[in-house]
Each structure stands twice: as C-alpha cells, then as structure tokens.
Amino acid sequence: QVQLVESGGGLVTPGGSLRLSCAFSGSFFRIYAMGWYRQTSGKQRELVALISNQGSTNYADSVKGRFTISRDNAKNTVYLQMNSLKPEDSAVYYCNAGGERAGFWGQGTQVTVSS
C-alpha cells in the first residue's frame, strides 16, 4: 500500500519561497508519475505540476517559471520548489502518485501567502 506524507507548508510573505516535500512509502516509487495539486475552499482541486517516472515535467500556466517539481528516487521523495509566491498561491497542496483518477493522495499541507 502506498502512503504519501507532505511537509514544508507554512506562512510566507509575497515574493517568498517554500519547498514542499512528499515522502512516499511503499514499493516501486520510481515507476510512478508524481504530481502536486492544490485546492482552496469552494474550488476544485487543480493540477500544479507533474513529473513522470522518466523525469519529464509539466506545469500549470499559473506557476510556470516560478515553481519547480523534482524527484529523488533514492529517497522516495518528490519536491515542489515554490519561488516568487503570490497570495493566489495560497491553498492546501496535495501530493499524488499514479494519477488523479486512480492514484494515491497525501493528507495535504497548507500554504498561506500573506503580508
């Protein structure tokens, strides 16, 4: 069974940076495509960034050039480096393994961007 645990969220001022981590427990981390999603109250969860098992990446237009997703297969961990944060980036960020429809989800970590 796959378990995902996010960490690294918190309160940051606009223009600041945070790095989220997602620790993967289970087998075969290296075969999973991994993703970060976010959700704010009253809105649907949206894709932030994806990284394939080969390392190719995709980003939502709203975060391109500011966020970077990466993975460390030796540590079974995926990261989301978030720079130049904006108030509209405030959300609960969720880690996903294996796809939005049938994959596994973490419990989420809150990111708040506010002065």
Side-chain angles (χ1 to χ4, degrees):
Q1 181 72 5
V2 171
Q3 289 187 320
L4 303 172
V5 178
E6 301 98 334
S7 61
L11 174 64
V12 63
T13 55
S17 298
L18 283 175
R19 188 176 81 154
L20 305 183
S21 299
C22 173
F24 175 106
S25 297
S27 301
F28 308 117
F29 170 74
R30 63 179 63 248
I31 73 171
Y32 282 92
M34 300 294 296
W36 287 98
Y37 294 74
R38 65 188 181 188
Q39 187 171 25
T40 55
S41 180
K43 292 188 177 181
Q44 283 192 319
R45 186 161 49 197
E46 64 173 358
L47 172 67
V48 176
L50 291 172
I51 186 166
S52 75
N53 57 2
Q54 299 296 316
S56 60
T57 58
N58 283 291
Y59 297 92
D61 288 344
S62 59
V63 307
K64 280 181 182 176
R66 300 188 298 122
F67 290 12
T68 302
I69 189 171
S70 61
R71 64 191 297 161
D72 186 336
N73 288 341
K75 295 182 178 180
N76 283 9
T77 301
V78 64
Y79 304 97
L80 185 68
Q81 178 66 45
M82 304 186 295
N83 298 329
S84 302
L85 282 160
K86 305 175 181 180
E88 52 263 43
D89 294 318
S90 298
V92 178
Y93 283 72
Y94 295 92
C95 179
N96 172 273
E100 188 172 8
R101 291 186 180 180
F104 300 92
W105 295 91
Q107 82 288 349
T109 186
Q110 177 71 48
V111 171
T112 302
V113 185
S114 175
S115 55

